Amino acid sequence: MPTVEINIPDQIEMQIAQLVEQGEFVSREEAVEQLLSSGIRAYKTSGPADEEDPGLESEGGMMGHDDEYVF
């Protein structure tokens, strides 16, 4: 399996750690893999954001916050 290195905001790292602590995932690696897979499936289902729809993405990122993304 390929290895990927990414930088994520502290808030997302804390959310992943919390999910692991709560027993939602066995490990951090499993959590990241499953959450990325879910995000990709959701993206494929809904397709890319329409560039003409200003309501989906603004200058501050989705939902108006630089480090918060909703899948």
Side-chain angles (χ1 to χ4, degrees):
M1 183 180 312
T3 300
V4 177
E5 183 176 322
I6 61 169
N7 295 315
I8 58 174
D10 290 338
Q11 181 179 356
I12 293 175
E13 171 61 28
M14 289 187 305
Q15 290 174 338
I16 291 170
Q18 185 177 30
L19 290 169
V20 173
E21 288 173 16
Q22 293 172 346
E24 295 291 328
F25 300 99
V26 174
S27 67
R28 181 176 178 265
E29 290 77 15
E30 178 193 22
V32 171
E33 181 181 347
Q34 292 295 321
L35 294 168
L36 283 172
S37 294
S38 295
I40 290 170
R41 279 193 306 275
Y43 180 82
K44 285 183 177 179
T45 300
S46 64
D50 187 353
E51 291 180 13
E52 294 181 18
D53 187 353
L56 292 178
E57 193 167 341
S58 63
E59 282 186 27
M62 297 179 91
M63 303 301 293
H65 302 283
D66 289 335
D67 62 350
E68 293 182 15
Y69 297 91
V70 177
F71 291 105

